[in-house]
């Protein structure tokens, strides 16, 4: 028995020693962001309505991944990033130069606050979720440790909901307050590209009489999206696309109306939108259902990608919108009801 | 799970006395060694985090002998609460598991399988998934869920006393009900909330704040003086109903008391860490292996639970390439170990 | 499948045979009625005459006809087979481990199927239920072999307690690995949450055709397990006295379970409730004789599964509730009442 205990102790010790670690650095207050921070007191109104005031403009920023991408498009480089998924697959971070940025979390709900504290941050940037009353990464259900990141520095962010533009505009404003040269940045080019994409989108959808329904096909049910809860669908609606509003959304979960595959033909739009993150897989699932073709748009192959839920920057939005416009431009608008 | 002391020695008075003495010594030494291991592991965990600290720095910060803002933040604000939660959850689940297994005389009857954790899970997932509940505190919901489920199960299982068999079957029904509700909630909610719920359901030490941990620690402290009494009660009930009645034990009341302790501990642990799989199931049988013939010790099972939680949480947070919820590791580490125990066990060694 | 014991194994408290036969026939008739109801009823309102018409003159352009013939028929067939498979395998597992908690969920089989599906999605990048079921099946079979291998190591072979514990361990270990693979991958979470709830919906004809032979063979094999289970119920020594080779019997029984549960779980997701409850209900009706319990589970299983499925289709307007949800929410209280108000036969 004693041998076994010794073994347990020895293995746990070995495990402890095997972990790779970094040592506490003292100081490390050199500013990391590329922009020249403005002198004097700084203040910014957070999505929650709270006004954050500091003696100097912050320079050492830790940001949630999508927010970081937005700031980086204005030349502001954070010292640390935490995301909801692996950096390699996070759509927000594709093509960005992340050298010199500490990755503090690659999974929803987990932020390495110990490591974050060694970065001596003076600002945390994360979206504000009005329904949850929390910033991204600090919602109910995350590790308690993650929430302590708010003890390291004040947290600010734009508000989710309503329109994707709230986010893009919010981070543009934040970048400006942090001293970014917004007018001469990648972000400014992106914004111009976005404005152009938006005009082209309106032109195309107003030239046609397209009705669109966003759906999520699962093996057992077909879920029809309620645009009220999808900010980008509200945006498309505002810019001229006729988005179908389901007439009986689930009472408990109003994001969707649940349709049995037997009732797949309840709505007959001209075009079906499928979540771009899972487009191929979802289309395959849908096509294997015998009643998928009872939707005339599906039978005619009028199914396009729906850039759902993750857009934060003018650049990403411009690309997504451009693709959507191209997809919509050669569709037949007489298929649906 | 009947406890039948099997001594190979000839039944002479001297030999019996010797065996008894050895048994008693083990019953004391094993929990003490395990508790010492808990302390050592705690300090090591504090030192070898993602930011490495020396033993000296850690002890100085914990004892308050030296001020160092950076180290104090890491140790006192971030790491120590985590270690404290791991120990509290481990102790509670270890004790609750062995109490349930012995009381219901079924090695599978740990709280994860007989419905109590599922009750807590339904409540917590509802809080996450149903918009009307949004903003409700998860730990509080979990606590309420576990308590309501336990009371309901006891009432439903009561008929001229509670038979262990009926209690288990009711537990199965309750678990199935919970599975249905959770499945429904997960398919109807948004994808982000489904992910959030899945995280909670996996169970992770450090999900709740210090307030909940402290509550659990206070509960553990309050129960600790009762351990010898509980242990004796458990032995008597374990002998079987008839024997227990002859011994003048008010069986039903004892059962209720033991059950209540198990439920309170499970509920508290689930509120702190979510339904962490496996700790409650495995701590008892593993401790029994160390205890030999003195099997069934509550303290040893509790300490074993704490060791398991500390090690699992360390691996989950620091060793794996991507930080994972603790529940992922308790299963992946605990399962092979228990499998090995089962495979190498002697006849009757595991209570079979 | 295993050497039959020399002497017939008399159950301790047999009930009158005529009553048991009559009960079985009555339940069988009920099941036939339910089968027709399952084709006639659904979330889509189609008149009875139109349903009948769809079978006589099938028009592939008419959605009503597609629904009746291509959606409801495969779904009903799958419900019958999976229900029978789950009920039967639950009874065999409970008899084999002599543990009322044993079911495909706790014995590692569903966890194996889940890991198979998760690994196929996350590691191989596969998708679509038609492909995933085969990985689920393989995972379930591997897990069962693992449970048996671990449970049978050691001096005294596969004792019931060791098997039950080994099952719980394998479940926990495999689920942990699945979750680890899953959590970082939101697409996989999305696919898995719909598979995991347990459903008969959307299983189109090719899936049913692929999995049905396994289920049919498994059900036939399972019905032959009455004698060895009766012998095992008497305890090892008595069973050996009756001439049963215990090791061989256990291997055979577990093989049947692996095929039944593996195929069922792969096709419909981990439906836990039927495997747990149906054997207890059957035991409540026929007493402890497995030669009666097994055929009863074959009828009771589909009654419960298909019945819940039909109910789920009607409950939610133009949508429907997955059968796993209906079983949990409606079936569980029913089961609890049964346990509460009946005298139980212990295993």
């Amino acid at each position: 028995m004693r041998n076994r205990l010794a073994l347990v102790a020895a293995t746990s010790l070995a495990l402890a020693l095997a972990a790779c670690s970094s040592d506490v650095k003292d100081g490390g207050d050199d500013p990391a962001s590329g922009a020249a921070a403005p002198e004097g007191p700084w203040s910014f109104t957070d999505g929650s309505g709270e006004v954050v005031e500091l003696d100097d403009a912050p320079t050492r920023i830790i940001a949630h991944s999508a927010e970081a991408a937005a700031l980086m498009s204005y030349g502001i480089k954070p010292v640390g990033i935490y995301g909801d998924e692996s950096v390699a697959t996070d759509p927000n971070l594709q093509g960005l130069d992340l050298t010199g940025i500490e990755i503090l979390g690659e999974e929803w709900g987990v932020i390495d606050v110990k490591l974050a504290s060694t970065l001596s941050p003076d600002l945390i940037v994360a979206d504000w979720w009005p329904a949850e009353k929390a910033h991204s990464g600090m919602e109910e259900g995350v590790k308690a440790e993650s929430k302590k990141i708010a003890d390291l520095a004040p947290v600010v962010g734009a508000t989710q909901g309503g329109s994707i533009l709230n986010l893009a505009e919010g981070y543009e404003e934040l970048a400006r307050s942090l001293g970014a040269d917004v007018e001469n940045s990648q972000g400014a080019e992106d914004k111009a590209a976005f404005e152009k994409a938006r005009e082209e989108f309106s032109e195309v959808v107003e030239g046609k009489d397209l009705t669109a329904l966003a759906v999520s096909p699962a093996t057992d049910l077909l879920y029809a999206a309620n645009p009220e809860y999808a900010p980008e669908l509200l945006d498309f609606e505002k810019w001229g696309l006729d988005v179908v509003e389901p007439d009986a959304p689930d009472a408990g979960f109003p994001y969707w109306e649940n349709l049995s595959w037997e009732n797949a033909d309840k709505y007959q739009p001209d075009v079906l939108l499928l979540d771009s993150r899972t487009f191929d897989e979802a289309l395959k699932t849908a096509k294997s259902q015998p009643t998928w073709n009872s939707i005339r748009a599906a039978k005619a192959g009028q199914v396009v990608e729906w850039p759902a839920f993750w857009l934060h920057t003018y650049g990403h939005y411009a690309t997504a919108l451009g693709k959507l416009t191209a997809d919509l431009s050669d569709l037949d608008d007489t298929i649906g009801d | 799970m009947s406890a039948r002391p099997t001594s190979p020695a000839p039944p002479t008075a001297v030999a019996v006395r010797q065996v008894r003495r050895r048994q008693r010594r083990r019953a004391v030494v094993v929990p003490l060694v395990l508790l010492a291991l808990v302390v050592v592991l705690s300090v090591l965990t504090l030192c070898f985090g993602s930011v490495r600290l020396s033993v000296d720095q850690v002890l100085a910060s914990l004892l308050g002998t030296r001020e160092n803002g950076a180290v104090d933040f890491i140790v006192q604000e971030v790491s120590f609460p985590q270690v404290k939660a791991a120990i509290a959850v481990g102790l509670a689940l270890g004790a609750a598991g062995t109490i349930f297994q012995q009381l219901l005389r079924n090695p599978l009857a740990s709280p994860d399988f007989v419905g109590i954790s599922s009750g807590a899970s339904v409540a917590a997932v509802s809080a996450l998934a149903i918009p009307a509940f949004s903003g409700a505190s998860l730990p509080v919901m979990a606590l309420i869920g576990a308590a309501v489920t336990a009371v309901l199960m006891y009432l439903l299982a009561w008929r001229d006393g509670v038979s262990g068999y009926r209690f288990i079957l009711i537990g199965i029904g309750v678990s199935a009900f919970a599975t249905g509700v959770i499945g429904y909630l997960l398919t109807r909610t948004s994808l982000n909330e489904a992910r959030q719920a899945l995280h909670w359901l996996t169970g992770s030490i450090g999900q709740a704040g210090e307030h909940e941990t402290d509550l659990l620690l206070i509960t553990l402290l309050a129960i600790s003086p009762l351990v010898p009494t509980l242990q004796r009660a458990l032995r008597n009930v374990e002998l079987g109903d008839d024997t227990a009645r002859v011994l003048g034990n008010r069986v039903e009341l004892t059962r209720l008391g033991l059950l209540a302790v198990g439920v309170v501990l499970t509920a508290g642990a689930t509120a702190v860490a979510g339904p962490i799989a496996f700790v409650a199931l495995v701590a008892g049988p593993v401790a029994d292996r160390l205890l030999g013939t003195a099997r069934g010790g509550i303290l040893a099972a509790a300490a074993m639970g704490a060791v398991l939680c500390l090690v699992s949480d360390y691996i989950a947070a620091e060793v794996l390439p991507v930080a994972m919820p603790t529940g992922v590791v308790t299963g992946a580490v605990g399962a092979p170990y228990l499998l090995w125990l089962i495979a190498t066990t002697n006849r009757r060694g595991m209570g079979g | 499948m295993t050497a039959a014991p020399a002497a017939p194994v008399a159950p301790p408290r047999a009930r009158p045979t005529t009553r048991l036969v009559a009960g079985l026939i009555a339940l069988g008739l009920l099941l036939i009625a339910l089968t027709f109801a399952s084709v006639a009823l659904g979330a889509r309102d189609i008149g009875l005459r139109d349903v009948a018409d769809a079978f006589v003159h099938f028009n592939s352009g008419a959605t009503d006809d597609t629904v009746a013939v291509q959606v409801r028929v495969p779904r009903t067939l799958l419900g019958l087979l999976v229900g029978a498979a789950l009920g039967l395998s639950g009874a065999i597992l409970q008899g084999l481990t002599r543990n009322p908690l044993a079911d495909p969920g706790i014995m590692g089989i569903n966890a194996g199927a889940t890991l198979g599906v998760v690994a196929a999605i996350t590691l191989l990048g596969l998708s679509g239920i038609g492909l995933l079921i085969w990985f689920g099946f393989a995972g379930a079979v591997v897990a069962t072999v693992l449970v048996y291998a671990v449970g049978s190591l050691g001096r005294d072979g596969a004792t019931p307690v060791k098997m039950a514990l080994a099952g719980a361990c394998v479940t926990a270990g495999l689920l942990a690995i699945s979750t680890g693979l899953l959590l970082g991958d939101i697409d996989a979470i999305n696919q898995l949450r719909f598979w995991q709830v347990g459903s008969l919906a959307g299983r189109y004809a090719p899936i049913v055709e692929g999995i049905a032979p396994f289920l049919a063979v498994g059900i036939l094999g399972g019905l032959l397990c009455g004698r060895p289970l009766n012998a095992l119920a008497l305890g090892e020594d008595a069973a050996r006295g009756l001439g049963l080779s215990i090791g061989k019997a256990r291997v055979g029984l577990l093989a049947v379970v692996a095929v039944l549960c593996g195929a069922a779980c792969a096709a419909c997701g981990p439906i836990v409730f039927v495997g747990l409850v149906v054997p207890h209900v059957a035991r409540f009706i026929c007493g402890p004789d497995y030669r009666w319990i097994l055929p009863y589970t074959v009828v009771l299983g589909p009654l419960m599964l298909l019945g819940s499925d039909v109910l789920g289709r009607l409950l939610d307007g133009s949508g429907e509730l997955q059968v796993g949800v209906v079983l949990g929410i409606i079936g569980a209280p029913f089961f609890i009442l049964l346990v509460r108000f009946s005298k139980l036969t212990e295993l």
Side-chain angles (χ1 to χ4, degrees), chain B residues 21-195:
Chain B
R21 204 178 309 138
R22 224 176 292 147
Q23 211 172 312
R24 222 173 298 140
R25 207 167 51 211
R26 266 196 174 190
V28 175
V29 170
V30 170
L32 285 181
V33 171
L34 285 171
L35 286 174
L37 189 62
V38 168
V39 174
V40 173
L41 282 174
S42 308
V43 175
L44 287 178
T45 312
L46 291 173
C47 293
F48 295 95
S50 58
V51 176
R52 189 168 293 188
L53 301 170
S54 69
V55 176
D56 182 44
Q57 279 174 309
V58 167
L59 291 180
S61 173
L62 283 181
L63 303 173
T65 51
R66 206 181 326 137
E67 290 270 318
N68 178 336
V71 174
D72 283 352
F73 177 80
I74 292 174
V75 172
Q76 293 174 11
E77 293 293 314
V78 182
S79 299
F80 187 60
Q82 182 78 5
V83 166
K84 206 165 66 175
I87 295 175
V89 168
L91 289 173
L93 286 180
T98 199
I99 289 176
F100 266 77
Q101 285 166 339
Q102 293 180 61
L103 191 63
L104 301 176
R105 278 186 240 131
N106 190 318
L108 289 182
S110 77
D112 350 0
F113 291 128
V114 292
I116 300 189
S117 306
S118 11
S121 303
V122 169
V125 173
S126 310
L128 282 173
I130 301 177
F133 286 154
S134 99
S137 153
L138 278 189
V140 173
M141 289 293 281
L143 205 59
I144 295 173
V148 168
T149 313
V151 171
L152 201 68
M153 278 170 61
Y154 190 82
L155 290 180
L156 285 169
W158 173 276
R159 206 176 69 184
D160 312 323
V162 169
S163 109
Y165 187 73
R166 201 183 307 132
F167 193 84
I168 289 176
L169 289 184
I170 299 262
I172 293 175
V174 170
S175 289
F177 181 74
T179 310
V181 176
I182 292 173
Y184 170 74
L185 293 172
L186 282 184
T187 55
R188 292 299 157 89
T189 188
S190 77
L191 186 49
N192 279 334
E193 275 150 356
R195 172 168 62 184

Side-chain angles (χ1 to χ4, degrees), chain C residues 303-319:
Chain C
L303 268 178
M304 180 172 256
L305 186 69
L306 201 56
S308 303
D309 187 46
V310 171
L311 207 56
R313 293 182 221 166
L314 302 177
L315 277 179
D316 193 31
S318 53

Side-chain angles (χ1 to χ4, degrees), chain B residues 135-302:
Chain B
S137 153
L138 278 189
V140 173
M141 289 293 281
L143 205 59
I144 295 173
V148 168
T149 313
V151 171
L152 201 68
M153 278 170 61
Y154 190 82
L155 290 180
L156 285 169
W158 173 276
R159 206 176 69 184
D160 312 323
V162 169
S163 109
Y165 187 73
R166 201 183 307 132
F167 193 84
I168 289 176
L169 289 184
I170 299 262
I172 293 175
V174 170
S175 289
F177 181 74
T179 310
V181 176
I182 292 173
Y184 170 74
L185 293 172
L186 282 184
T187 55
R188 292 299 157 89
T189 188
S190 77
L191 186 49
N192 279 334
E193 275 150 356
R195 172 168 62 184
Q196 214 166 329
L198 198 66
H199 260 260
W200 194 88
L201 287 171
T202 310
S204 192
I205 286 163
Q207 291 196 111
E210 284 193 68
H211 190 65
E212 290 81 16
T213 310
D214 289 344
L215 203 66
L216 181 59
L217 278 173
I218 292 168
T219 314
L220 283 165
L221 276 179
I223 290 176
S224 59
L226 297 176
V227 167
T229 320
L230 291 172
Q231 190 79 67
R232 216 172 313 122
L234 208 49
R235 287 261 144 81
N236 288 341
V237 174
E238 207 191 24
L239 289 175
D241 295 356
D242 296 338
T243 335
R245 244 177 233 123
V246 173
L247 287 171
N249 203 317
R250 279 173 296 170
V251 182
E252 207 44 57
L253 214 59
T254 312
R255 274 228 187 100
L256 181 60
L258 285 165
L259 215 54
V261 170
V263 166
V264 167
L265 290 177
T266 309
T270 311
V272 171
I276 289 197
F278 220 59
V279 178
L281 177 79
V282 83
V286 174
D288 280 351
R289 275 286 282 209
L290 300 177
L291 288 167
T293 46
R295 45 201 299 278
I298 297 176
L299 201 56

